[in-house]
Amino acid sequence: IKRQTMNNKVIINILRFVGLVLLQILVIDNIRFGRYIHPYVYVLFVMLLPTKMSDSLVMTIGFFTGLVIDIFAGTPGLNAAATTFSAFVRPFVIKTMFVGDDIKNIGEPSPFEMGRGRFTIYMLILLLAHNFVLFLLEAFSFRLFGIILIQILLGVTTSAVFITIITSVFTTRRRNILK
C-alpha cells in the first residue's frame, strides 16, 4: 500500500509538472497583460513538492523546471536561476512558518494542508524571491530598479491571483474526493 501511495504521488507530480508547464507556455505566455505584468504559475510546481523531499532534490527539480520554461520562452537561464533560488529559499520559509512537530504533519505545502492564510504567505514569499531574481537578471542593472520593482509587484500579484484560482479549483476537487 505504501509503494502504491508513493507511485500515486509521483504520477500526480508528473501530471502537475506537465499541466503547469503547458499552462505557462501555451496560455499565460501568450496573453498580453501589459508591459510590466508577467505572471508565472509554473512556480507552483516547486511550491507543492513534498516537504520530506531533500533540499538538494527540490533545488535540482527547480532548476530543470525553470530550464524547461527557458527553452520554450527563449530566456537563457533566467527562469532556471529564479526557480532554483525560490527552491533554495523554500525550506527556510517552511521552517520559519512551522514550529516543531507541525512541519512533520505537512505532506506537501498546499492550502489544503497549511490552511489558506499560511499558504498565501508562503506563496507570496516564494513568488517575491522568484520574481526578484528573474527581473533583476533580466535587467542586469540597478539603474532600472524602479521598473524592476514595478514588475516584481505586478508579477507577484497576478501570479498569486492565478495560483490562488488554480489551488482553489484543485483543493475543492480533492476535498470532494476525500468525502
Side-chain angles (χ1 to χ4, degrees), residues 42-69:
Y42 78 92
V43 183
L44 178 61
F45 174 69
V46 174
M47 290 179 195
L48 296 178
L49 289 172
T51 57
K52 293 180 181 169
M53 190 176 280
S54 75
D55 297 344
S56 58
L57 181 57
V58 171
M59 287 177 45
T60 303
I61 290 170
F63 171 78
F64 283 110
T65 303
L67 188 62
V68 168
I69 298 296

Side-chain angles (χ1 to χ4, degrees), residues 156-174:
V156 166
T157 303
T158 54
S159 298
V161 167
F162 281 111
I163 288 172
T164 300
I165 291 168
I166 292 166
T167 56
S168 294
V169 167
F170 288 101
T171 300
T172 302
R173 294 176 89 197
R174 179 187 265 182

